[in-house]
Amino acid sequence: MDGQPTAEVIEQIRDIPIYRESLAKGYFPILDKPEIARGFPDNWMTPRLAAALESGEAEFVLSTGTNHARMQIIRPPYFLLRSYYQLWSEHPDISGTWESGCRRVSLTTVLATEHVARVNAARRGTAPAPVPTLDDRWLDERTCYLNLRLDPALWERAEVERMLEEIRTARQAHPRGWYHLDCSGYHLAHLVRKVGEWGLWDDFPPPASIIHAYEYTPVNVRRFLRQHFDCPVIDLFGSTELGYLYYSDRHGTYWPYLDKMSVELQPVADGSTIYQLIVSSVRNPHMPLIRYRSGDCVRTLDGTPDPGQIIQFCGREKELLSTPHGPVAQGDLDRCISEASPDVFLYQLRLTGEGEAQLVYTTFHGAPVELAQTAALEQGIGELTGRRCRLEHRTHIPIGKSGKYAWLTAGS
């Protein structure tokens, strides 16, 4: 299937300048991010879009970005939030927490918190406070943001106590004391470790449901969270420009959520069973994306390009590692690590020279992994990457300036 748009979709994009050449040729090539940015926003402008921007029905925003350049897009206000709420309200395992009126407490990057504070300040016509109060961090009547520090590994006790108090405040609005915890898996794992270290479990009310949705969550981190929370722990996959496309159930199986969308899978290299996502979507009426290369990679259950068989969202195309056996994704390294040791928490593969690599890592318990696990990890990573690998335990791996972790770096 080449993913060409249907007649119904073509009618919705007929007057958009960026698609004029494709419409004339009767064929739509894959749409890459540089093409979207070229001539922006004129290449998207129509009378209907101009009117929507004038009325406030559409707005300019930047994609969230991780370790790559951010992209300017046009979308309805709260587009991603509404996509999240819609999926939460329909999810087979956690829709009850939506229907019961649970408040959503979000524990993720400080950049997300700061964005909410800026939006609220702009509404008031004031400058954002240097340290946003809880009132400044409510996105709407349902969602508040907790984190005020870039690196969660550096949270101090007073910060953790403040966040736990804010969780308790949010849950008081529910008659049964329920709340929904939205998070980056890494950030929640850091919180769990701090709570355990300082004996604060009595101050941490258990959530009624958990979603992690901001970045790749390693197998060991998911396992760690499930060990500490007796509620559904759900993964969502999506992006700023597309909304959410897939969700996991409480058992880890992924299901498509392709409202006004379709997906193709194309191999990242000849013979590879790592596939890149090509998405056609009219969910965002102001910037429909036809055969858009999102930059995300997946693996499927049977190794075929069937979007209904996705079992892993395994990383970003720009972060693939070239090896003698073909490209390797973050998810491949993660699987190798989780099979050898459940104790590894954070990790980073550093390419240290020709044919060599170093895996720096932290653990959930703070001590190095056992010698047998060290040997298994070095051997497994060596076989996966085609590089001689050595391990080095660290007590701290700094987070990136985006508030997310890089799994692969060059140099020592």
mmCIF file of all heavy atoms in Angstrom, residues 28-74:
data_model
loop_
_atom_site.group_PDB
_atom_site.id
_atom_site.type_symbol
_atom_site.label_atom_id
_atom_site.label_comp_id
_atom_site.label_asym_id
_atom_site.label_seq_id
_atom_site.Cartn_x
_atom_site.Cartn_y
_atom_site.Cartn_z
ATOM 1 N N PHE A 28 1.109 11.703 -4.193
ATOM 2 C CA PHE A 28 1.610 12.401 -3.018
ATOM 3 C C PHE A 28 2.870 11.691 -2.510
ATOM 4 O O PHE A 28 2.804 10.553 -2.037
ATOM 5 C CB PHE A 28 0.554 12.415 -1.907
ATOM 6 C CG PHE A 28 -0.584 13.352 -2.168
ATOM 7 C CD1 PHE A 28 -1.556 13.041 -3.116
ATOM 8 C CD2 PHE A 28 -0.675 14.562 -1.498
ATOM 9 C CE1 PHE A 28 -2.603 13.902 -3.381
ATOM 10 C CE2 PHE A 28 -1.728 15.435 -1.753
ATOM 11 C CZ PHE A 28 -2.689 15.111 -2.695
ATOM 12 N N PRO A 29 4.035 12.360 -2.623
ATOM 13 C CA PRO A 29 5.254 11.772 -2.068
ATOM 14 C C PRO A 29 5.260 11.899 -0.551
ATOM 15 O O PRO A 29 4.407 12.570 0.037
ATOM 16 C CB PRO A 29 6.357 12.622 -2.693
ATOM 17 C CG PRO A 29 5.714 13.967 -2.895
ATOM 18 C CD PRO A 29 4.271 13.678 -3.221
ATOM 19 N N ILE A 30 6.229 11.270 0.078
ATOM 20 C CA ILE A 30 6.361 11.391 1.531
ATOM 21 C C ILE A 30 6.710 12.831 1.885
ATOM 22 O O ILE A 30 7.540 13.478 1.233
ATOM 23 C CB ILE A 30 7.418 10.407 2.050
ATOM 24 C CG1 ILE A 30 6.874 8.976 1.952
ATOM 25 C CG2 ILE A 30 7.816 10.722 3.494
ATOM 26 C CD1 ILE A 30 7.867 7.903 2.334
ATOM 27 N N LEU A 31 6.070 13.341 2.913
ATOM 28 C CA LEU A 31 6.234 14.724 3.355
ATOM 29 C C LEU A 31 7.190 14.761 4.542
ATOM 30 O O LEU A 31 6.909 14.188 5.601
ATOM 31 C CB LEU A 31 4.866 15.292 3.755
ATOM 32 C CG LEU A 31 4.805 16.738 4.238
ATOM 33 C CD1 LEU A 31 5.210 17.698 3.138
ATOM 34 C CD2 LEU A 31 3.404 17.067 4.742
ATOM 35 N N ASP A 32 8.326 15.430 4.370
ATOM 36 C CA ASP A 32 9.328 15.525 5.434
ATOM 37 C C ASP A 32 9.264 16.887 6.117
ATOM 38 O O ASP A 32 8.729 17.862 5.578
ATOM 39 C CB ASP A 32 10.729 15.297 4.859
ATOM 40 C CG ASP A 32 10.985 13.842 4.517
ATOM 41 O OD1 ASP A 32 10.784 12.987 5.397
ATOM 42 O OD2 ASP A 32 11.368 13.563 3.360
ATOM 43 N N LYS A 33 9.840 16.940 7.302
ATOM 44 C CA LYS A 33 9.762 18.170 8.103
ATOM 45 C C LYS A 33 10.385 19.385 7.412
ATOM 46 O O LYS A 33 9.828 20.486 7.505
ATOM 47 C CB LYS A 33 10.385 17.903 9.477
ATOM 48 C CG LYS A 33 9.576 16.878 10.264
ATOM 49 C CD LYS A 33 10.097 16.648 11.662
ATOM 50 C CE LYS A 33 9.227 15.575 12.342
ATOM 51 N NZ LYS A 33 9.557 15.340 13.740
ATOM 52 N N PRO A 34 11.529 19.259 6.729
ATOM 53 C CA PRO A 34 12.051 20.441 6.029
ATOM 54 C C PRO A 34 11.082 21.003 4.990
ATOM 55 O O PRO A 34 11.004 22.219 4.791
ATOM 56 C CB PRO A 34 13.334 19.910 5.374
ATOM 57 C CG PRO A 34 13.753 18.771 6.233
ATOM 58 C CD PRO A 34 12.481 18.130 6.676
ATOM 59 N N GLU A 35 10.325 20.131 4.322
ATOM 60 C CA GLU A 35 9.354 20.595 3.332
ATOM 61 C C GLU A 35 8.215 21.349 4.007
ATOM 62 O O GLU A 35 7.703 22.346 3.479
ATOM 63 C CB GLU A 35 8.810 19.398 2.548
ATOM 64 C CG GLU A 35 7.910 19.779 1.393
ATOM 65 C CD GLU A 35 8.631 20.552 0.301
ATOM 66 O OE1 GLU A 35 9.879 20.436 0.197
ATOM 67 O OE2 GLU A 35 7.957 21.297 -0.433
ATOM 68 N N ILE A 36 7.812 20.886 5.192
ATOM 69 C CA ILE A 36 6.764 21.573 5.946
ATOM 70 C C ILE A 36 7.222 22.979 6.323
ATOM 71 O O ILE A 36 6.451 23.938 6.273
ATOM 72 C CB ILE A 36 6.411 20.764 7.209
ATOM 73 C CG1 ILE A 36 5.665 19.487 6.817
ATOM 74 C CG2 ILE A 36 5.577 21.591 8.191
ATOM 75 C CD1 ILE A 36 5.419 18.543 7.964
ATOM 76 N N ALA A 37 8.506 23.097 6.691
ATOM 77 C CA ALA A 37 9.026 24.390 7.151
ATOM 78 C C ALA A 37 9.329 25.349 6.007
ATOM 79 O O ALA A 37 9.344 26.571 6.216
ATOM 80 C CB ALA A 37 10.298 24.147 7.968
ATOM 81 N N ARG A 38 9.553 24.808 4.802
ATOM 82 C CA ARG A 38 9.935 25.656 3.674
ATOM 83 C C ARG A 38 8.754 26.537 3.264
ATOM 84 O O ARG A 38 7.712 26.063 2.853
ATOM 85 C CB ARG A 38 10.389 24.773 2.502
ATOM 86 C CG ARG A 38 11.051 25.563 1.373
ATOM 87 C CD ARG A 38 11.574 24.629 0.287
ATOM 88 N NE ARG A 38 12.625 23.751 0.816
ATOM 89 C CZ ARG A 38 12.546 22.435 0.883
ATOM 90 N NH1 ARG A 38 11.453 21.815 0.451
ATOM 91 N NH2 ARG A 38 13.545 21.720 1.346
ATOM 92 N N GLY A 39 8.931 27.837 3.393
ATOM 93 C CA GLY A 39 7.867 28.765 3.024
ATOM 94 C C GLY A 39 6.757 28.888 4.049
ATOM 95 O O GLY A 39 5.715 29.478 3.759
ATOM 96 N N PHE A 40 6.984 28.345 5.248
ATOM 97 C CA PHE A 40 5.965 28.405 6.299
ATOM 98 C C PHE A 40 5.760 29.853 6.747
ATOM 99 O O PHE A 40 6.739 30.588 6.904
ATOM 100 C CB PHE A 40 6.440 27.547 7.487
ATOM 101 C CG PHE A 40 5.432 27.423 8.592
ATOM 102 C CD1 PHE A 40 4.524 26.373 8.608
ATOM 103 C CD2 PHE A 40 5.379 28.350 9.624
ATOM 104 C CE1 PHE A 40 3.589 26.255 9.619
ATOM 105 C CE2 PHE A 40 4.452 28.238 10.638
ATOM 106 C CZ PHE A 40 3.555 27.178 10.635
ATOM 107 N N PRO A 41 4.535 30.307 7.001
ATOM 108 C CA PRO A 41 3.265 29.582 6.921
ATOM 109 C C PRO A 41 2.527 29.741 5.577
ATOM 110 O O PRO A 41 1.447 29.207 5.422
ATOM 111 C CB PRO A 41 2.458 30.230 8.031
ATOM 112 C CG PRO A 41 2.884 31.662 7.996
ATOM 113 C CD PRO A 41 4.353 31.637 7.633
ATOM 114 N N ASP A 42 3.163 30.467 4.624
ATOM 115 C CA ASP A 42 2.449 30.729 3.375
ATOM 116 C C ASP A 42 2.106 29.433 2.635
ATOM 117 O O ASP A 42 1.091 29.373 1.929
ATOM 118 C CB ASP A 42 3.287 31.635 2.468
ATOM 119 C CG ASP A 42 3.418 33.049 3.017
ATOM 120 O OD1 ASP A 42 2.627 33.398 3.917
ATOM 121 O OD2 ASP A 42 4.309 33.786 2.570
ATOM 122 N N ASN A 43 2.957 28.405 2.791
ATOM 123 C CA ASN A 43 2.698 27.162 2.072
ATOM 124 C C ASN A 43 1.488 26.402 2.633
ATOM 125 O O ASN A 43 1.054 25.395 2.059
ATOM 126 C CB ASN A 43 3.941 26.263 2.074
ATOM 127 C CG ASN A 43 4.471 25.995 3.479
ATOM 128 O OD1 ASN A 43 4.039 26.615 4.443
ATOM 129 N ND2 ASN A 43 5.415 25.073 3.596
ATOM 130 N N TRP A 44 0.938 26.887 3.744
ATOM 131 C CA TRP A 44 -0.258 26.286 4.336
ATOM 132 C C TRP A 44 -1.472 27.227 4.312
ATOM 133 O O TRP A 44 -2.581 26.821 4.653
ATOM 134 C CB TRP A 44 0.012 25.899 5.802
ATOM 135 C CG TRP A 44 1.031 24.831 5.916
ATOM 136 C CD1 TRP A 44 2.382 24.988 6.099
ATOM 137 C CD2 TRP A 44 0.810 23.423 5.809
ATOM 138 N NE1 TRP A 44 3.010 23.773 6.107
ATOM 139 C CE2 TRP A 44 2.074 22.789 5.940
ATOM 140 C CE3 TRP A 44 -0.324 22.639 5.616
ATOM 141 C CZ2 TRP A 44 2.216 21.409 5.891
ATOM 142 C CZ3 TRP A 44 -0.178 21.265 5.572
ATOM 143 C CH2 TRP A 44 1.072 20.659 5.697
ATOM 144 N N MET A 45 -1.228 28.470 3.926
ATOM 145 C CA MET A 45 -2.257 29.498 4.138
ATOM 146 C C MET A 45 -3.378 29.417 3.103
ATOM 147 O O MET A 45 -3.151 29.357 1.904
ATOM 148 C CB MET A 45 -1.604 30.882 4.103
ATOM 149 C CG MET A 45 -2.488 31.971 4.688
ATOM 150 S SD MET A 45 -2.948 31.668 6.429
ATOM 151 C CE MET A 45 -1.335 31.667 7.220
ATOM 152 N N THR A 46 -4.583 29.415 3.627
ATOM 153 C CA THR A 46 -5.801 29.496 2.817
ATOM 154 C C THR A 46 -6.692 30.563 3.453
ATOM 155 O O THR A 46 -6.470 30.957 4.609
ATOM 156 C CB THR A 46 -6.552 28.153 2.817
ATOM 157 O OG1 THR A 46 -7.012 27.886 4.157
ATOM 158 C CG2 THR A 46 -5.661 27.016 2.331
ATOM 159 N N PRO A 47 -7.683 31.049 2.762
ATOM 160 C CA PRO A 47 -8.606 32.016 3.395
ATOM 161 C C PRO A 47 -9.229 31.449 4.673
ATOM 162 O O PRO A 47 -9.399 32.189 5.657
ATOM 163 C CB PRO A 47 -9.647 32.252 2.303
ATOM 164 C CG PRO A 47 -8.920 31.998 1.025
ATOM 165 C CD PRO A 47 -7.962 30.878 1.317
ATOM 166 N N ARG A 48 -9.561 30.187 4.656
ATOM 167 C CA ARG A 48 -10.163 29.565 5.836
ATOM 168 C C ARG A 48 -9.185 29.559 7.015
ATOM 169 O O ARG A 48 -9.555 29.858 8.153
ATOM 170 C CB ARG A 48 -10.596 28.145 5.491
ATOM 171 C CG ARG A 48 -11.267 27.406 6.620
ATOM 172 C CD ARG A 48 -11.785 26.052 6.146
ATOM 173 N NE ARG A 48 -10.739 25.276 5.483
ATOM 174 C CZ ARG A 48 -10.923 24.090 4.924
ATOM 175 N NH1 ARG A 48 -12.131 23.555 4.901
ATOM 176 N NH2 ARG A 48 -9.929 23.445 4.348
ATOM 177 N N LEU A 49 -7.899 29.228 6.743
ATOM 178 C CA LEU A 49 -6.904 29.224 7.818
ATOM 179 C C LEU A 49 -6.639 30.644 8.320
ATOM 180 O O LEU A 49 -6.520 30.868 9.535
ATOM 181 C CB LEU A 49 -5.608 28.586 7.329
ATOM 182 C CG LEU A 49 -4.435 28.598 8.320
ATOM 183 C CD1 LEU A 49 -4.813 27.942 9.643
ATOM 184 C CD2 LEU A 49 -3.216 27.908 7.716
ATOM 185 N N ALA A 50 -6.555 31.611 7.412
ATOM 186 C CA ALA A 50 -6.335 32.999 7.825
ATOM 187 C C ALA A 50 -7.449 33.469 8.754
ATOM 188 O O ALA A 50 -7.196 34.140 9.772
ATOM 189 C CB ALA A 50 -6.239 33.904 6.598
ATOM 190 N N ALA A 51 -8.674 33.094 8.438
ATOM 191 C CA ALA A 51 -9.809 33.480 9.294
ATOM 192 C C ALA A 51 -9.721 32.782 10.647
ATOM 193 O O ALA A 51 -10.038 33.386 11.683
ATOM 194 C CB ALA A 51 -11.125 33.137 8.598
ATOM 195 N N ALA A 52 -9.280 31.522 10.660
ATOM 196 C CA ALA A 52 -9.160 30.790 11.918
ATOM 197 C C ALA A 52 -8.072 31.390 12.804
ATOM 198 O O ALA A 52 -8.233 31.486 14.028
ATOM 199 C CB ALA A 52 -8.868 29.318 11.633
ATOM 200 N N LEU A 53 -6.985 31.829 12.208
ATOM 201 C CA LEU A 53 -5.922 32.487 12.982
ATOM 202 C C LEU A 53 -6.405 33.825 13.531
ATOM 203 O O LEU A 53 -6.093 34.192 14.669
ATOM 204 C CB LEU A 53 -4.681 32.676 12.104
ATOM 205 C CG LEU A 53 -3.889 31.411 11.769
ATOM 206 C CD1 LEU A 53 -2.896 31.673 10.641
ATOM 207 C CD2 LEU A 53 -3.139 30.906 13.021
ATOM 208 N N GLU A 54 -7.169 34.533 12.745
ATOM 209 C CA GLU A 54 -7.688 35.834 13.178
ATOM 210 C C GLU A 54 -8.661 35.679 14.340
ATOM 211 O O GLU A 54 -8.661 36.482 15.292
ATOM 212 C CB GLU A 54 -8.381 36.518 11.993
ATOM 213 C CG GLU A 54 -8.985 37.873 12.320
ATOM 214 C CD GLU A 54 -7.941 38.938 12.621
ATOM 215 O OE1 GLU A 54 -6.789 38.782 12.160
ATOM 216 O OE2 GLU A 54 -8.278 39.922 13.318
ATOM 217 N N SER A 55 -9.477 34.634 14.305
ATOM 218 C CA SER A 55 -10.504 34.441 15.331
ATOM 219 C C SER A 55 -9.985 33.723 16.579
ATOM 220 O O SER A 55 -10.683 33.665 17.595
ATOM 221 C CB SER A 55 -11.659 33.630 14.749
ATOM 222 O OG SER A 55 -11.258 32.289 14.491
ATOM 223 N N GLY A 56 -8.769 33.156 16.480
ATOM 224 C CA GLY A 56 -8.240 32.393 17.605
ATOM 225 C C GLY A 56 -8.594 30.917 17.562
ATOM 226 O O GLY A 56 -8.243 30.159 18.481
ATOM 227 N N GLU A 57 -9.269 30.469 16.489
ATOM 228 C CA GLU A 57 -9.583 29.045 16.352
ATOM 229 C C GLU A 57 -8.353 28.228 15.956
ATOM 230 O O GLU A 57 -8.354 27.000 16.048
ATOM 231 C CB GLU A 57 -10.679 28.838 15.310
ATOM 232 C CG GLU A 57 -12.025 29.429 15.713
ATOM 233 C CD GLU A 57 -13.057 29.286 14.616
ATOM 234 O OE1 GLU A 57 -12.831 28.466 13.707
ATOM 235 O OE2 GLU A 57 -14.072 30.000 14.662
ATOM 236 N N ALA A 58 -7.306 28.917 15.503
ATOM 237 C CA ALA A 58 -6.025 28.283 15.187
ATOM 238 C C ALA A 58 -4.913 29.121 15.792
ATOM 239 O O ALA A 58 -5.065 30.336 15.989
ATOM 240 C CB ALA A 58 -5.839 28.143 13.677
ATOM 241 N N GLU A 59 -3.782 28.471 16.082
ATOM 242 C CA GLU A 59 -2.660 29.184 16.679
ATOM 243 C C GLU A 59 -1.351 28.564 16.209
ATOM 244 O O GLU A 59 -1.302 27.401 15.800
ATOM 245 C CB GLU A 59 -2.737 29.137 18.212
ATOM 246 C CG GLU A 59 -2.631 27.734 18.781
ATOM 247 C CD GLU A 59 -2.739 27.690 20.306
ATOM 248 O OE1 GLU A 59 -2.992 28.735 20.907
ATOM 249 O OE2 GLU A 59 -2.557 26.588 20.862
ATOM 250 N N PHE A 60 -0.279 29.366 16.262
ATOM 251 C CA PHE A 60 1.060 28.873 15.975
ATOM 252 C C PHE A 60 1.658 28.295 17.252
ATOM 253 O O PHE A 60 1.586 28.908 18.320
ATOM 254 C CB PHE A 60 1.955 30.013 15.480
ATOM 255 C CG PHE A 60 1.577 30.560 14.130
ATOM 256 C CD1 PHE A 60 0.880 31.746 14.026
ATOM 257 C CD2 PHE A 60 1.930 29.888 12.977
ATOM 258 C CE1 PHE A 60 0.531 32.268 12.788
ATOM 259 C CE2 PHE A 60 1.590 30.394 11.726
ATOM 260 C CZ PHE A 60 0.892 31.584 11.632
ATOM 261 N N VAL A 61 2.266 27.124 17.151
ATOM 262 C CA VAL A 61 2.990 26.533 18.275
ATOM 263 C C VAL A 61 4.234 25.855 17.731
ATOM 264 O O VAL A 61 4.391 25.657 16.524
ATOM 265 C CB VAL A 61 2.130 25.496 19.043
ATOM 266 C CG1 VAL A 61 0.906 26.139 19.648
ATOM 267 C CG2 VAL A 61 1.759 24.328 18.156
ATOM 268 N N LEU A 62 5.127 25.457 18.644
ATOM 269 C CA LEU A 62 6.311 24.687 18.282
ATOM 270 C C LEU A 62 6.133 23.253 18.742
ATOM 271 O O LEU A 62 5.587 22.999 19.818
ATOM 272 C CB LEU A 62 7.568 25.280 18.942
ATOM 273 C CG LEU A 62 8.048 26.621 18.398
ATOM 274 C CD1 LEU A 62 9.180 27.160 19.272
ATOM 275 C CD2 LEU A 62 8.518 26.491 16.957
ATOM 276 N N SER A 63 6.581 22.306 17.940
ATOM 277 C CA SER A 63 6.608 20.922 18.398
ATOM 278 C C SER A 63 7.525 20.836 19.612
ATOM 279 O O SER A 63 8.420 21.660 19.801
ATOM 280 C CB SER A 63 7.100 20.000 17.285
ATOM 281 O OG SER A 63 8.431 20.316 16.929
ATOM 282 N N THR A 64 7.298 19.819 20.455
ATOM 283 C CA THR A 64 8.012 19.771 21.724
ATOM 284 C C THR A 64 9.499 19.544 21.540
ATOM 285 O O THR A 64 10.302 20.084 22.272
ATOM 286 C CB THR A 64 7.442 18.660 22.624
ATOM 287 O OG1 THR A 64 7.392 17.450 21.879
ATOM 288 C CG2 THR A 64 6.044 19.020 23.084
ATOM 289 N N GLY A 65 9.895 18.721 20.547
ATOM 290 C CA GLY A 65 11.316 18.491 20.331
ATOM 291 C C GLY A 65 11.977 17.777 21.492
ATOM 292 O O GLY A 65 11.598 17.942 22.634
ATOM 293 N N THR A 66 12.969 16.972 21.217
ATOM 294 C CA THR A 66 13.731 16.311 22.284
ATOM 295 C C THR A 66 15.186 16.674 22.095
ATOM 296 O O THR A 66 15.674 17.625 22.664
ATOM 297 C CB THR A 66 13.522 14.786 22.245
ATOM 298 O OG1 THR A 66 13.783 14.311 20.925
ATOM 299 C CG2 THR A 66 12.099 14.428 22.619
ATOM 300 N N ASN A 67 15.862 15.909 21.252
ATOM 301 C CA ASN A 67 17.269 16.198 20.972
ATOM 302 C C ASN A 67 17.440 16.768 19.567
ATOM 303 O O ASN A 67 18.549 16.823 19.047
ATOM 304 C CB ASN A 67 18.083 14.912 21.127
ATOM 305 C CG ASN A 67 17.901 14.308 22.508
ATOM 306 O OD1 ASN A 67 18.186 14.947 23.499
ATOM 307 N ND2 ASN A 67 17.390 13.089 22.564
ATOM 308 N N HIS A 68 16.334 17.179 18.958
ATOM 309 C CA HIS A 68 16.382 17.681 17.591
ATOM 310 C C HIS A 68 15.649 19.014 17.506
ATOM 311 O O HIS A 68 14.979 19.437 18.436
ATOM 312 C CB HIS A 68 15.771 16.662 16.628
ATOM 313 C CG HIS A 68 16.378 15.310 16.744
ATOM 314 N ND1 HIS A 68 17.710 15.081 16.523
ATOM 315 C CD2 HIS A 68 15.851 14.112 17.109
ATOM 316 C CE1 HIS A 68 17.979 13.805 16.711
ATOM 317 N NE2 HIS A 68 16.863 13.198 17.074
ATOM 318 N N ALA A 69 15.783 19.655 16.342
ATOM 319 C CA ALA A 69 15.171 20.970 16.148
ATOM 320 C C ALA A 69 13.653 20.886 16.288
ATOM 321 O O ALA A 69 13.026 19.905 15.892
ATOM 322 C CB ALA A 69 15.549 21.502 14.773
ATOM 323 N N ARG A 70 13.080 21.927 16.846
ATOM 324 C CA ARG A 70 11.638 21.997 16.977
ATOM 325 C C ARG A 70 11.049 22.541 15.678
ATOM 326 O O ARG A 70 11.692 23.269 14.937
ATOM 327 C CB ARG A 70 11.271 22.888 18.159
ATOM 328 C CG ARG A 70 11.866 22.388 19.470
ATOM 329 C CD ARG A 70 11.637 23.374 20.597
ATOM 330 N NE ARG A 70 10.272 23.300 21.099
ATOM 331 C CZ ARG A 70 9.783 24.136 21.998
ATOM 332 N NH1 ARG A 70 10.522 25.107 22.489
ATOM 333 N NH2 ARG A 70 8.542 24.008 22.418
ATOM 334 N N MET A 71 9.802 22.189 15.405
ATOM 335 C CA MET A 71 9.136 22.544 14.163
ATOM 336 C C MET A 71 7.915 23.400 14.473
ATOM 337 O O MET A 71 7.143 23.078 15.373
ATOM 338 C CB MET A 71 8.709 21.254 13.442
ATOM 339 C CG MET A 71 7.958 21.480 12.149
ATOM 340 S SD MET A 71 7.592 19.922 11.305
ATOM 341 C CE MET A 71 6.368 19.213 12.430
ATOM 342 N N GLN A 72 7.760 24.492 13.724
ATOM 343 C CA GLN A 72 6.585 25.334 13.913
ATOM 344 C C GLN A 72 5.389 24.723 13.199
ATOM 345 O O GLN A 72 5.492 24.262 12.061
ATOM 346 C CB GLN A 72 6.843 26.747 13.400
ATOM 347 C CG GLN A 72 5.807 27.750 13.870
ATOM 348 C CD GLN A 72 6.193 29.184 13.583
ATOM 349 O OE1 GLN A 72 6.950 29.443 12.658
ATOM 350 N NE2 GLN A 72 5.665 30.124 14.357
ATOM 351 N N ILE A 73 4.258 24.696 13.892
ATOM 352 C CA ILE A 73 3.043 24.130 13.317
ATOM 353 C C ILE A 73 1.859 25.038 13.650
ATOM 354 O O ILE A 73 1.962 25.954 14.468
ATOM 355 C CB ILE A 73 2.768 22.699 13.834
ATOM 356 C CG1 ILE A 73 2.642 22.692 15.360
ATOM 357 C CG2 ILE A 73 3.852 21.744 13.382
ATOM 358 C CD1 ILE A 73 2.326 21.331 15.932
ATOM 359 N N ILE A 74 0.735 24.757 13.010
ATOM 360 C CA ILE A 74 -0.513 25.465 13.260
ATOM 361 C C ILE A 74 -1.542 24.429 13.696
ATOM 362 O O ILE A 74 -1.689 23.384 13.059
ATOM 363 C CB ILE A 74 -1.011 26.186 11.987
ATOM 364 C CG1 ILE A 74 0.071 27.105 11.423
ATOM 365 C CG2 ILE A 74 -2.285 26.983 12.277
ATOM 366 C CD1 ILE A 74 -0.219 27.597 10.007
#
